[in-house]
Amino acid sequence: MGSLFVDYLARRLPLVERALASSAGAPLTDASVARDLDDCLYAPLTRFTASGGKRVRPVLALLGAEAAGGAPEDALSCAVAVELFQSAALIHDDIADEGELRRGEPCLYRTVGTGLAINAGDLALTRVFEVILGDEGLDADRKTRVLAEVARMERHTLEGQALDLGWVRDARWDVTPDDYTYMVRSKTAWYTVASPLALGALAAGAPCATTGGLVEVGIPAGLAFQIQDDLLNLVGDAEAQGKDFRSDVTEGKRTLAVVWALANLPEGERAELVALLGSHTTDERDLARAVELIERGGGIEHCRALARRHTDEAKDAARALAQDGRITVDARDLLCSMADFFVERAS
């Protein structure tokens, strides 16, 4: 199951944390304004990145390198870049969603102000490229290939975020399951799984066939990851989720469970669910009723089945890579365990 990947995460985490220690960079001057720059720009990003979660994304970059026959150190700059992109995405996302808490602490824009938080997120995006460009272990060809993958990852993420926000802005309730799949593939699957694996492989000098194969593992695994996230928000452990529990209902998000339920509920219950999702309610009884309606429309059951199906697709792709000799048997087992972990996790 997912325990093999959990053990791998624990083994590789210290390597990632050491690399991230100075990832925010430092002022470009040692003049008297350097202290102000640190206070207003570099220190906020350093604190935010240091507060990170499980570090799954950067560790996947190391796994991509090892799967391709390289060493984890080959992909350290990619690992740092992926985590910095994650920092930028979360900082900006919290502003867009008007969030309150992130990783158990007030969102960055609530502590330093919106303008400075945007600036810190922009610094993280700048550092993504600086870290890779500054990696002396990557020759010019590998740097070019890595940077091209970073650009692809960022473009996909921006498309997914635009759809997610735009559907809420326009009060769109005609979103289809296929629409949702495109959105979440772009917003989550690429930068959470597919691109980190690909970046690690590229840094290790893997051929296109191996890199492309890892993307084929990463896309369905990333879809399963996001579907499980959506399920945990609706029917997971309320105590573990804290104030975020059922926040997707409050924010009126078009998750797959919601989209599926809206397509299958009778008209009266569909209208009731739309009203609840559009009300931005935080009342526990309203939230519970919304989840009840989503369940009645088959949204929860459909998502559980689909998450497992995507997991199986990812595992089949990993097995095919090993069978063709593009990755090792050990890498295959780790990738299969990763896919299982994504749908077994409780947070």
Side-chain angles (χ1 to χ4, degrees):
M1 293 291 194
S3 58
L4 185 65
F5 181 67
V6 172
D7 291 343
Y8 181 81
L9 275 174
R11 293 199 314 273
R12 292 292 176 251
L13 185 60
L15 192 59
V16 169
E17 293 292 359
R18 286 195 296 271
L20 284 171
S22 59
S23 62
L28 299 175
T29 178
D30 58 2
S32 59
V33 295
R35 181 177 298 179
D36 292 336
L37 285 169
D38 187 63
D39 178 62
C40 295
L41 180 61
Y42 295 94
L45 179 58
T46 297
R47 289 194 299 270
F48 186 87
T49 302
S51 71
K54 299 181 181 70
R55 308 294 196 198
V56 169
R57 293 167 182 84
V59 168
L60 286 180
L62 306 188
L63 175 54
E66 292 185 86
E73 290 80 7
D74 293 339
L76 270 178
S77 65
C78 295
V80 171
V82 166
E83 189 65 14
L84 284 167
F85 180 70
Q86 163 81 340
S87 290
L90 295 181
I91 290 168
H92 291 159
D93 199 42
D94 287 339
I95 295 168
D97 291 343
E98 298 181 350
E100 293 185 15
L101 295 176
R102 172 66 66 183
R103 297 166 176 167
E105 301 289 336
C107 294
L108 187 64
Y109 80 96
R110 290 183 174 271
T111 61
V112 303
T114 299
L116 288 176
I118 292 172
N119 218 33
D122 290 347
L123 171 64
L125 292 175
T126 302
R127 292 291 295 154
V128 166
F129 292 90
E130 288 181 339
V131 166
I132 293 168
L133 288 168
D135 185 349
E136 296 179 356
L138 296 177
D139 60 30
D141 180 62
R142 291 189 190 185
K143 280 183 184 178
T144 299
R145 297 175 70 198
V146 164
L147 289 172
E149 180 60 34
V150 168
R152 177 167 72 160
M153 173 186 75
E154 293 196 2
R155 180 78 166 272
H156 274 296
T157 307
L158 290 171
E159 279 200 1
Q161 178 73 335
L163 290 173
D164 199 18
L165 294 172
W167 290 338
V168 173
R169 182 200 66 184
D170 298 338
R172 289 279 303 280
W173 298 109
D174 59 345
V175 175
T176 68
D178 285 346
D179 295 336
Y180 167 88
T181 299
Y182 185 87
M183 182 274 289
V184 78
R185 179 188 289 116
S186 293
K187 182 176 178 179
T188 301
W190 277 100
Y191 99 92
T192 297
V193 192
S195 285
L197 289 173
L199 286 166
L202 290 169
C208 293
T210 299
T211 304
L214 288 170
V215 169
E216 290 176 8
V217 175
I219 292 297
L223 289 171
F225 179 96
Q226 184 58 54
I227 291 169
Q228 177 69 0
D229 247 18
D230 295 346
L231 287 171
L232 290 173
N233 189 271
L234 295 175
V235 294
D237 186 330
E239 185 175 346
Q241 299 250 347
K243 292 187 71 173
D244 285 335
F245 187 56
R246 295 180 172 169
S247 60
D248 286 354
V249 176
T250 301
E251 295 172 18
K253 288 195 172 181
R254 278 64 169 171
T255 63
L256 180 59
V258 166
V259 169
W260 189 265
L262 290 175
N264 290 279
L265 282 170
E267 186 56 39
E269 291 182 333
R270 182 186 188 280
E272 182 184 359
L273 179 55
V274 167
L276 287 167
L277 292 166
S279 70
H280 304 295
T281 181
T282 58
D283 182 86
E284 289 186 7
R285 290 170 299 180
D286 288 342
L287 297 175
R289 175 57 178 166
V291 172
E292 179 186 357
L293 289 168
I294 292 169
E295 287 184 303
R296 286 172 66 86
I300 303 300
E301 181 180 356
H302 176 71
C303 284
R304 284 178 174 147
L306 187 59
R308 178 48 63 185
R309 190 152 69 243
H310 284 314
T311 299
D312 291 341
E313 290 171 10
K315 293 164 72 172
D316 287 344
R319 294 184 186 110
L321 274 173
Q323 189 172 4
D324 294 346
R326 286 179 282 170
I327 63 171
T328 65
V329 171
D330 287 345
R332 175 202 66 191
D333 292 344
L334 270 171
L335 290 168
C336 288
S337 179
M338 170 202 74
D340 283 329
F341 167 76
F342 287 163
V343 293
E344 292 168 357
R345 63 200 170 91
S347 64

